[in-house]
Amino acid sequence: AVVEVQVSRAGGRYLLSGRVLEPSSGSQLLAAGVTTGERGLIRGVERLSRELRRRMGEAGASLDRSQPLPQVTTPSLPALRLYARAEAVVESDPGQALRLLEEAVELDPGFAMAHRLAAAVASRE
């Protein structure tokens, strides 16, 4: 299956929608959506992810064992953007990726995914 996610903004709210598609035909197998404000955007992504996983048949015990997204990511959109830029260049320019990750961690020292990726990049250099 292929998961397609779309984020739309309407005023101060966001609509997060996800569809699960059958790859060969492109037909939709299931869909879900959530709305949230900017401050709850990461929690909204978590809710959408869990709902799609549940509808695809993932066991409840498996869902319960997964670490909640808000605990490993950041509520800071600027830090999240820096992280995304770092991921995009990590293979081609690890030094730039590390600088971007350091900026992300300065914005949010509790951003676990940025710390993890920075450690992985630094260990390769």
Side-chain angles (χ1 to χ4, degrees):
V2 174
V3 178
E4 175 186 85
V5 178
Q6 183 176 16
V7 179
S8 305
R9 186 173 185 175
R13 305 287 295 168
Y14 289 87
L15 171 62
L16 309 172
S17 56
R19 300 184 320 154
V20 177
L21 307 172
E22 199 282 314
S24 61
S25 68
S27 62
Q28 180 174 302
L29 302 174
L30 58 97
V34 298
T35 59
T36 184
E38 185 171 319
R39 297 195 85 193
L41 195 54
I42 298 301
R43 284 184 185 81
V45 170
E46 173 73 15
R47 287 194 334 260
L48 179 61
S49 169
R50 285 182 176 272
E51 180 61 18
L52 288 171
R53 290 165 57 198
R54 184 189 64 74
R55 287 187 186 184
M56 286 190 300
E58 187 169 340
S62 174
L63 287 169
D64 291 342
R65 283 192 309 270
S66 65
Q67 195 168 16
L69 189 58
Q71 289 180 14
V72 295
T73 194
T74 179
S76 167
L77 290 176
L80 193 57
R81 286 186 183 113
L82 288 164
Y83 178 84
R85 287 177 46 205
E87 277 191 316
V89 300
V90 73
E91 295 302 321
S92 63
D93 190 349
Q96 175 67 12
L98 195 53
R99 287 187 290 280
L100 291 165
L101 292 164
E102 288 168 351
E103 286 182 57
V105 168
E106 282 181 29
L107 292 173
D108 181 359
F111 189 179
M113 288 174 18
H115 283 287
R116 181 203 54 80
L117 187 54
V121 172
S123 71
R124 286 194 266 168
E125 292 193 336

